Amino acid sequence: MTQSNLFYDFGSWGHYTPSMRKKVMPGFLPSPPGTEICGEYDIVFAAALDDSNHSSGGCTKIFLRMTTQGRLTIQECSNSLPVSIREDGSTEQRKIRAKSIISAKIQMPEWGHPTWNFFGPGYKVFGFPEDSKLTRCSLEKPTNASLIVTKKNNNLGRMYVVSERKAFRRIQSEAGSMTDKPVTMSKVQKQEVIDAELCCGRRHFSFLCKDLGLPCETGGLITRFVVDDPPFIFAEPGDIWIDTRLSTPTTTYVLARRRSKNFLMRPMTIHEIERYAQNMKNEFMQKGDEEKLLLSMDRMKTTPGAGVLFVQLCVKYSTGHRCKDAEREAIISILSILYTNKKLTSGDIRGGFSCFFTNYAFYIRSGREPRAKDHICNMIPEFLHLKAMDIKLFCGFLDLPDENLLSNLCKPQLIEICLVSVILRYNIAEAEKHFAPASDILVNLLGARTWYEIAARHGLRRYQ
């Protein structure tokens, strides 16, 4: 099999160090995985690190961090195995027999990479329950990891279930080392993911959209289908992260994603997504079936970039004169339900609105849709409230480049309509919570006098 080497950096995320003993490893479910993770998985990332200097306080040498096309199979198992352990406070190992609950078989593609021998064609590990003596005695484990043991050489390792999305950044080569940096905290990780999603969603803009004049959704889909080296890949909630030692002193990491029936579905075309989105809206308005809405979005999300495109289509339709008020409220509810159930990400919401302003600002500027300003701003409060976007981002939408630039007359109107919408939909306290921290940005966009007049006119206490 031929494959370009796509190297990605996961930083210190999921990288075990002795400081994590008996603590919760951030980014993963707080409870260790058990038999509920049994099933078929596709391996999307693998890494090999050399920890030979780690015990003496040195750095971890990087051998390999790359995307793969391997497979992981996890099954229930009841084998009783002899395993070597070192109990707490002891310096010597002793063998005990422990009963496993799962067996996992990892199969790797044979690419002929110089360091691929760290993984070989594959290996097998066994996992053990939390109440086993083996698990209780093991020192090298956070509290939310399941203990695993390799069949070949009886080495201990760890297995986790991902709880929060994590971005892996593309790098050019496999040179250097990794020091013991603090594990990325969830707040920083969340912002990192948002930035990565926006980067992935907009990397087509400068050439396909700006130079060739293609619509943003078309450029986005073209990019995702023809570019083999995205700037980021992502660990998703529900993924399996395996950390084990195959040969001393090499530690290997594997990220695997569960297969589903949706895995084999072909991507949808732009026109199919448009029709599908319209049907989702109509069915939801008729029946209000949230479960079916979530399943429909699962089907759509098998297409790369579908989340951003879906949001953009919803926003575009909502700003048109053909959209009735009941439809507009239904669309806001649909997007809110999909976001709160993690079927849409903040990157999808932000990317969809960004693409709309980038490609359809002329609706607002030209007056072609007389109430477009009202309709677009009436959608914003829901996503401010859900923290899917903020006023800084909204101001960025209005500060468009080149030929898409909104007039200086439009910008104050849009900000004022948005402020009023937040007050009407929620209250003055909600408006102050979102607009007051962004005061400097609003002053830069509108000018101090204009912004202070708008704020005072609508009762923001800070400006009265």
Side-chain angles (χ1 to χ4, degrees):
M1 180 185 294
T2 60
Q3 174 80 17
S4 59
N5 293 338
L6 304 181
F7 301 117
Y8 290 88
D9 179 14
F10 60 97
S12 58
W13 182 86
H15 175 57
Y16 176 79
T17 64
S19 63
M20 290 307 301
R21 287 175 183 168
K22 299 181 181 180
K23 296 181 182 179
V24 174
M25 178 72 82
F28 301 93
L29 292 180
S31 300
T35 54
E36 74 281 355
I37 64 172
C38 290
E40 295 288 332
Y41 294 77
D42 293 284
I43 297 173
V44 295
F45 176 84
L49 308 176
D50 177 2
D51 285 330
S52 57
N53 296 323
H54 190 275
S55 59
S56 59
C59 296
T60 300
K61 182 181 178 183
I62 296 164
F63 281 150
L64 177 72
R65 294 172 295 189
M66 65 191 303
T67 52
T68 89
Q69 295 177 352
R71 290 181 295 169
L72 167 67
T73 304
I74 304 176
Q75 298 175 326
E76 290 193 43
C77 177
S78 58
N79 289 354
S80 184
L81 306 169
V83 182
S84 297
I85 64 167
R86 187 175 69 248
E87 295 185 84
D88 198 354
S90 173
T91 58
E92 296 183 359
Q93 287 190 338
R94 66 186 185 90
K95 279 197 173 182
I96 64 170
R97 293 196 70 84
K99 191 173 183 180
S100 63
I101 56 170
I102 60 171
S103 67
K105 185 177 182 182
I106 295 171
Q107 294 174 283
M108 291 291 188
E110 297 180 9
W111 288 345
H113 191 280
T115 54
W116 206 243
N117 59 304
F118 294 121
F119 298 94
Y123 56 93
K124 194 169 186 176
V125 299
F126 294 92
F128 299 87
E130 278 302 287
D131 58 358
S132 72
K133 186 173 183 180
L134 173 64
T135 302
R136 293 197 306 269
C137 293
S138 176
L139 298 175
E140 305 297 322
K141 191 178 81 66
T143 58
N144 57 335
S146 282
L147 189 70
I148 57 174
V149 174
T150 56
K151 181 180 180 181
K152 183 177 180 181
N153 50 15
N154 196 36
N155 276 332
L156 301 183
R158 295 152 289 270
M159 182 183 289
Y160 312 81
V161 176
V162 177
S163 65
E164 301 174 29
R165 207 167 193 228
K166 166 66 181 175
F168 290 20
R169 179 178 56 87
R170 176 103 196 260
I171 53 179
Q172 295 301 316
S173 65
E174 281 303 297
S177 59
M178 184 166 71
T179 58
D180 285 349
K181 297 180 292 185
V183 177
T184 305
M185 301 306 292
S186 58
K187 186 176 181 180
V188 177
Q189 181 174 314
K190 184 176 181 180
Q191 185 59 49
E192 179 186 64
V193 168
I194 290 170
D195 294 342
E197 287 170 342
L198 287 173
C199 178
C200 290
R202 299 188 66 177
R203 59 200 163 99
H204 57 277
F205 174 73
S206 61
F207 175 67
L208 295 175
C209 297
K210 189 173 181 180
D211 296 342
L212 297 186
L214 292 177
C216 197
E217 64 266 31
T218 305
L221 285 178
I222 289 173
T223 303
R224 286 170 173 81
F225 280 112
V226 303
V227 176
D228 293 328
D229 54 346
F232 295 89
I233 60 173
F234 297 90
E236 305 285 359
D239 287 356
I240 300 296
W241 181 251
I242 294 176
D243 154 17
T244 190
R245 180 160 290 185
L246 291 186
S247 61
T248 303
T250 304
T251 300
T252 64
Y253 296 87
V254 167
L255 179 71
R257 186 159 301 147
R258 188 184 290 272
R259 285 188 176 184
S260 67
K261 294 179 181 178
N262 290 340
F263 183 79
L264 299 176
M265 291 184 178
R266 67 170 178 82
M268 301 169 74
T269 66
I270 294 174
H271 296 300
E272 285 174 334
I273 290 176
E274 279 191 272
R275 291 195 299 269
Y276 203 75
Q278 187 70 23
N279 290 337
M280 286 170 65
K281 185 260 298 178
N282 292 339
E283 286 189 8
F284 182 77
M285 289 187 69
Q286 290 172 6
K287 302 177 182 179
D289 190 339
E290 290 189 17
E291 185 175 348
K292 188 168 184 180
L293 177 69
L294 300 178
L295 290 173
S296 297
M297 196 64 205
D298 283 337
R299 166 64 182 102
M300 187 186 293
K301 289 280 279 187
T302 60
T303 301
V308 173
L309 177 56
F310 177 76
V311 174
Q312 183 186 345
L313 291 171
C314 287
V315 175
K316 181 184 175 185
Y317 181 72
S318 295
T319 56
H321 65 276
R322 295 178 182 176
C323 183
K324 299 177 181 178
D325 289 341
E327 288 181 290
R328 198 167 289 111
E329 282 300 315
I331 288 171
I332 294 173
S333 296
I334 287 169
L335 293 176
S336 178
I337 291 167
L338 293 175
Y339 177 75
T340 53
N341 284 276
K342 299 183 179 180
K343 301 299 181 181
L344 288 174
T345 66
S346 56
D348 292 330
I349 299 293
R350 294 171 180 220
F353 274 91
S354 176
C355 288
F356 172 80
F357 277 98
T358 301
N359 291 286
Y360 301 105
F362 63 87
Y363 275 0
I364 301 170
R365 186 180 66 238
S366 66
R368 177 176 170 180
E369 293 287 352
R371 295 195 60 199
K373 290 195 287 288
D374 295 322
H375 297 326
I376 187 67
C377 290
N378 288 339
M379 297 186 76
I380 300 295
E382 179 73 11
F383 304 107
L384 293 175
H385 183 70
L386 294 174
K387 299 180 181 179
M389 65 168 64
D390 53 30
I391 294 300
K392 177 182 177 181
L393 189 76
F394 183 53
C395 291
F397 294 157
L398 307 186
D399 202 13
L400 297 168
D402 304 334
E403 69 278 0
N404 289 321
L405 187 67
L406 289 168
S407 71
N408 289 330
L409 180 63
C410 282
K411 293 174 186 177
Q413 292 176 345
L414 288 164
I415 292 295
E416 185 165 11
I417 295 169
C418 183
L419 173 59
V420 172
S421 295
V422 174
I423 295 171
L424 292 176
R425 195 173 188 90
Y426 297 101
N427 50 50
I428 190 72
E430 181 81 6
E432 288 179 334
K433 183 174 75 173
H434 295 295
F435 282 84
S439 180
D440 291 344
I441 297 166
L442 289 161
V443 167
N444 289 336
L445 180 70
L446 307 178
R449 181 177 178 181
T450 302
W451 164 236
Y452 294 154
E453 286 177 354
I454 292 172
R457 188 157 54 239
H458 296 287
L460 267 65
R461 289 189 295 270
R462 180 177 173 182
Y463 306 98
Q464 289 181 324

